[in-house]
Amino acid sequence: MKPLGTTTQLNERHGMSTFSASLPGGTWTLGDQTVTRFGYGAMQLAGPGVMGPPADRDGALAVLREAVGLGITHIDTSGAYGPRVTNQLIREALHPYPESLRIVTKVGSTRDSNGGWPPARDPEALRRSVNENLQDLGLEVLDVVNLRLGNAQGPQPGSLAEPLQTLVELQQQGLIRHLGVSNATAEQVAEAQAIAPIVCVQNMYNLAWRHDDKLIDQLADDGIAYVPFFPLGGFSPLQSSALSAVAARLDATPMSVALAWLLRRSPNILLIPGTSSAAHLRENVAGAGLPLSDSDLAELDKIGR
Ligand SMILES: NC(=O)c1ccc[n+]([C@@H]2O[C@H](COP(=O)([O-])OP(=O)(O)OC[C@H]3O[C@@H](n4cnc5c(N)ncnc54)[C@H](OP(=O)(O)O)[C@@H]3O)[C@@H](O)[C@H]2O)c1
């Protein structure tokens, strides 16, 4: 991403205050790019069902500016959100981007008229999607592009060689800085690593959904980020009596506990909780810093096992 401004300059332009304290979890190096482990997932900014524009456009722009104002340097997005809506909101809210900001996007699925997410992984669709992301975000090169695999039911087995090779070619053409995979099986992650350097894996994972425990530890050993989507449960909020009990004991919300637990789970976990509310975003940043004792962790660990 071109160095086009600092966070302070951006804040001055939009009349925001600069949050100087460091965010919970510190930072992680994504390829050669440093990001805050506390990031922001932009999917919730599109309209209902992640289709169309938001009801409150100014509110959506304010959430994005708040994220940067709080010091977040990692925003997760996709051309499929809206479609193209969240990318255009990101550009409107934040361009020219602060030098420190990294925008991570995804290609590999599109939207149909029913709001479905059909795969779009042939070379032509991937090239078109990368170009649309560049255009909508107002960038000459995308920081990180995740190849989204599987379908709405989750990861599906099968080789990713052909679509990943198309992205490698686009990377060689200078349109993509780093590659990742999303909604992938452990076998597909291993296949991807054999084809090209991978900087992140973005899969569904949270306190109650822990299919990737082993994969997370392997990726940590390899220095690769694991970015859980649905960290708060996604469209159905996390619900567990054990989680509620720990939250009540700590005088915190279950969401805070869920985010703090993820930051403690492994140093390669990067958070991208989604919200359409600036107040929720502030709550989540504060909540992720909640200290958890060893006995809290042991109790929470039982939920998804
Ligand atoms: N790779 C993939 O296939 C994939 C799939 C899904 C998502 N993603 C990415 O992952 C990100 C995170 O997932 P997600 O946004 O779907 O789910 P999530 O982060 O687990 O949860 C978001 C939901 O939690 C609510 N919420 C957030 N903070 C809250 C708070 N403090 N109090 C009460 N409610 C709160 C939000 O509602 P409000 O808007 O009212 O705050 C929203 O309904 C997405 O934004 C997207 O970037 C990737």
Side-chain angles (χ1 to χ4, degrees):
M1 191 179 295
K2 276 184 172 177
L4 291 166
T6 64
T7 304
T8 307
Q9 285 163 349
L10 181 89
N11 290 349
E12 283 166 357
R13 277 204 307 280
H14 298 294
M16 298 181 298
S17 58
T18 303
F19 185 80
S20 55
S22 51
L23 290 164
T27 58
W28 175 265
T29 307
L30 210 46
D32 58 351
Q33 316 174 129
T34 300
V35 293
T36 50
R37 286 182 68 211
F38 194 104
Y40 171 68
M43 188 177 85
Q44 304 292 339
L45 295 182
V50 200
M51 288 295 276
D56 178 4
R57 184 180 179 78
D58 288 346
L61 297 172
V63 172
L64 287 161
R65 291 175 183 141
E66 185 73 22
V68 169
L70 288 166
I72 289 171
T73 63
H74 172 199
I75 294 182
D76 183 78
T77 185
S78 168
Y81 299 160
R84 302 182 74 167
V85 167
T86 59
N87 281 351
Q88 290 166 2
L89 288 169
I90 290 169
R91 181 181 187 162
E92 185 177 341
L94 302 174
H95 196 284
Y97 299 113
E99 191 178 345
S100 57
L101 183 65
R102 299 291 168 246
I103 301 176
V104 177
T105 191
K106 294 177 268 309
V107 296
S109 64
T110 184
R111 304 304 296 280
D112 61 27
S113 54
N114 300 320
W117 306 76
R121 284 175 219 135
D122 58 278
E124 168 71 27
L126 291 172
R127 281 189 209 107
R128 189 172 53 244
S129 185
V130 164
N131 281 311
E132 280 177 3
N133 272 280
L134 287 166
Q135 187 188 332
D136 292 342
L137 290 166
L139 291 170
E140 287 167 11
V141 50
L142 298 169
D143 287 322
V144 182
V145 174
N146 283 314
L147 173 63
R148 189 184 187 278
L149 300 157
N151 57 29
Q153 281 67 54
Q156 306 293 326
S159 174
L160 52 58
E162 195 181 303
L164 189 61
Q165 199 52 50
T166 301
L167 294 187
V168 169
E169 283 162 26
L170 293 169
Q171 185 180 36
Q172 286 163 351
Q173 289 165 23
L175 302 181
I176 298 173
R177 205 160 273 138
H178 297 292
L179 295 170
V181 292
S182 176
N183 209 27
T185 64
E187 292 72 26
Q188 287 164 337
V189 172
E191 188 189 8
Q193 287 179 276
I195 293 172
I198 295 298
V199 299
C200 55
V201 173
Q202 185 179 124
N203 276 2
M204 180 171 167
Y205 182 83
N206 56 47
L207 197 50
W209 183 270
R210 299 188 47 183
H211 288 223
D212 276 348
D213 270 330
K214 197 169 146 210
L215 179 63
I216 289 170
D217 297 336
Q218 282 168 1
L219 292 172
D221 288 344
D222 292 344
I224 295 175
Y226 183 90
V227 188
F229 72 76
F230 294 166
L232 299 172
F235 297 108
S236 344
L238 281 176
Q239 278 175 349
S240 139
S241 49
L243 173 59
S244 300
V246 173
R249 195 168 63 234
L250 297 174
D251 196 18
T253 63
M255 304 225 169
S256 302
V257 176
L259 294 174
W261 177 82
L262 281 170
L263 284 181
R264 284 287 297 275
R265 166 65 184 80
S266 187
N268 63 328
I269 289 189
L270 309 185
L271 300 186
I272 52 162
T275 179
S276 54
S277 150
H280 286 172
L281 178 61
R282 285 190 292 272
E283 264 176 48
N284 294 344
V285 167
L290 183 75
L292 295 173
S293 69
D294 288 347
S295 69
D296 298 330
L297 290 172
E299 200 173 335
L300 294 168
D301 201 42
K302 290 182 200 143
I303 294 173
R305 292 269 185 200

